[in-house]
Amino acid sequence: MSLAAEEPEDALALAAAARRERARRLKGIGFMCLAVALFSVLDGSAKWLGRDLPALQITFARYAVALVLIVVALNPLTVERAWSTRRPWMQGARGLALFGSTMFNFMAIRTLQLSEAMSIIFATPFLIAALSGPILGERSDWRRWVAIAVGFTGVLIVTRPGAEGVNPGVFWSVAGVCCYAVYAILTRILTRVDSTASMLVISALIPTVVLAPLMPATWVWPKDLLTWTVMPVLGITGAVGHFFLIKAYAQAPAPVVAPFIYTQIVWSTLIGFVVFAEIPVLNTIVGAGVVIGSGLYLIWRETGAKA
């Protein structure tokens, strides 16, 4: 075969590989969007339950219900791989990072306004993108950094963080962001060596074991059937949401999918309006538009433009 004939074949192979990679990245983005939509339902349920139940109990319900569902679906008799790991210490660190992210967030909002806490939490993609370079070798180009910054600006427009002195709760919130960034990075690493099932089991098991001894002293019995009904929603949305989150990091590099955490602000606004009668004001509409625009640009970059 002549060199002239080989070159077109090589070009076709490269083009096909590029299309497959774009498809994987688009799937990763879709999984992340599904995950944060479910997390918005989780947050709305937790906010509703928080009127009558302590934060520790709500957190325990989230993980305990998720663990029960996961054990039923992934019992060791039929899904043996779900109960084994090649990196036990890394899996443990990942589970603790997720638990720390949840708990530090609860501690932060005791003294911070929700808008302040949200502004800090949505800085997570910056930290993930910064860590992904030295740890994972997944570096972001300047266009993606600009899109991330624009998306974060949209979040600031929505949340309008206060400009008063530094509240001690800021440090708890920053700790939560750091924990989540570590969780995201470890998830990306573990998808290369462990199954999604094992990560789901361990991420639910560790918080449940840590919180269970505290429940006798903090438990408040739900007052009605509706409260009992909403509590399992925490576990269902948490378990399924983290399943999609793991799939997202398995399909695409962390800097690609992490910015789509911003889309949670859109779902949160919708749930606030439907469930809590919170009427979106102008800054919410403008900010959500900026977030959506940034997300659409990133999708275009990953599917239709050259890197």
Side-chain angles (χ1 to χ4, degrees):
M1 184 179 290
S2 66
L3 292 177
E6 290 178 359
E7 289 180 359
E9 290 181 1
D10 291 340
L12 289 173
L14 290 173
R19 287 194 297 270
R20 288 193 295 270
E21 178 62 19
R22 285 196 295 270
R24 284 177 60 87
R25 292 188 174 204
L26 185 59
K27 286 181 181 178
I29 291 169
F31 284 138
M32 176 59 80
C33 290
L34 285 172
V36 298
L38 288 167
F39 293 153
S40 298
V41 176
L42 170 63
D43 291 342
S45 301
K47 179 178 179 179
W48 188 86
L49 290 171
R51 299 179 299 180
D52 302 309
L53 303 180
L56 279 176
Q57 182 176 338
I58 296 170
T59 306
F60 176 76
R62 171 185 176 178
Y63 290 113
V65 173
L67 181 61
V68 170
L69 294 173
I70 290 169
V71 169
V72 171
L74 304 173
N75 69 80
L77 296 178
T78 58
V79 193
E80 185 177 352
R81 70 181 186 279
W83 301 86
S84 63
T85 173
R86 297 180 183 178
R87 302 283 182 87
W89 291 107
M90 188 176 291
Q91 282 276 19
R94 176 182 171 275
L96 288 174
L98 177 61
F99 170 63
S101 176
T102 302
M103 289 307 303
F104 285 139
N105 184 53
F106 276 121
M107 296 173 73
I109 60 178
R110 293 171 63 182
T111 56
L112 284 178
Q113 295 180 358
L114 288 176
S115 61
E116 293 173 320
M118 285 183 64
S119 298
I120 298 170
I121 290 169
F122 277 102
T124 303
F126 285 105
L127 187 56
I128 292 175
L131 292 174
S132 293
I135 297 176
L136 301 177
E138 299 172 352
R139 301 187 183 278
S140 299
D141 63 14
W142 67 268
R143 297 178 184 85
R144 191 175 292 124
W145 276 107
V146 170
I148 292 171
V150 170
F152 182 64
T153 300
V155 173
L156 292 179
I157 293 172
V158 173
T159 57
R160 295 179 298 176
E164 294 82 9
V166 178
N167 187 310
V170 168
F171 299 105
W172 293 119
S173 190
V174 169
V177 168
C178 292
C179 284
Y180 184 83
V182 171
Y183 164 78
I185 296 295
L186 292 178
T187 296
R188 177 65 174 168
I189 295 173
L190 285 166
T191 56
R192 302 169 182 172
V193 295
D194 276 350
S195 67
T196 298
S198 69
M199 285 188 276
L200 285 171
V201 169
I202 295 172
S203 63
L205 178 63
I206 290 177
T208 302
V209 171
V210 171
L211 288 172
L214 304 176
M215 286 303 99
T218 59
W219 185 268
V220 174
W221 285 100
K223 63 181 181 180
D224 53 34
L225 179 61
L226 181 58
T227 303
W228 280 108
T229 303
V230 173
M231 287 178 69
V233 172
L234 299 172
I236 295 170
T237 54
V240 179
H242 280 287
F243 171 80
F244 284 130
L245 186 72
I246 292 167
K247 296 292 286 184
Y249 285 115
Q251 291 288 332
V256 172
V257 297
F260 289 85
I261 295 171
Y262 290 140
T263 60
Q264 187 170 353
I265 196 67
V266 179
W267 293 110
S268 296
T269 300
L270 179 62
I271 291 171
F273 174 73
V274 174
V275 179
F276 303 104
E278 297 173 349
I279 308 298
V281 294
L282 180 61
N283 67 289
T284 300
I285 297 171
V286 172
V290 172
V291 172
I292 293 171
S294 174
L296 290 175
Y297 171 76
L298 285 169
I299 292 176
W300 175 77
R301 283 285 307 164
E302 298 306 326
T303 60
K306 294 182 180 180

